[in-house]
Amino acid sequence: PRWASWNIGVFICIRCAGIHRNLGVHISRVKSVNLDQWTPEQIQCMQDMGNTKARLLYEANLPENFRRPQTD
C-alpha cells in the first residue's frame, strides 16, 4: 500500500484512502507513504499500532462471517 491513515496507524490501499479522506480528519488522517512529509509523531503512531494490531482492536467484535470491504 502507498497510503496510510497515520492517526489510526494502518496502511491502506488507494481506494480505501479515498473513503478514509471522506470520513474527515477528525476520524482518519490520510497521507501518501512516499509523496508526503512525515513527522516523527506520525511515524511513531504507525509503529505503535500497525495493521495487525489495529485489526485485533477495531474488528474484535465483528461476527465471523463479516465480509471486509474489497477492492471490487
Side-chain angles (χ1 to χ4, degrees), residues 36-47:
D36 290 322
Q37 296 288 324
W38 286 72
T39 67
E41 173 196 11
Q42 294 165 340
I43 294 168
Q44 190 63 53
C45 286
M46 295 297 295
Q47 291 174 329

Side-chain angles (χ1 to χ4, degrees), residues 5-55:
S5 174
W6 69 264
N7 65 313
I8 296 176
V10 296
F11 291 100
I12 52 180
C13 69
I14 192 166
R15 185 168 182 209
C16 290
I19 293 167
H20 275 251
R21 283 185 189 272
N22 287 335
L23 294 173
V25 296
H26 62 291
I27 296 174
S28 184
R29 296 181 180 176
V30 177
K31 293 185 84 117
S32 169
V33 170
N34 54 356
L35 297 176
D36 290 322
Q37 296 288 324
W38 286 72
T39 67
E41 173 196 11
Q42 294 165 340
I43 294 168
Q44 190 63 53
C45 286
M46 295 297 295
Q47 291 174 329
D48 290 345
M49 182 60 78
N51 288 46
T52 301
K53 192 174 178 181
R55 181 172 279 173

Side-chain angles (χ1 to χ4, degrees), residues 31 40 50 58-59:
K31 293 185 84 117
Y58 294 115
E59 297 181 359

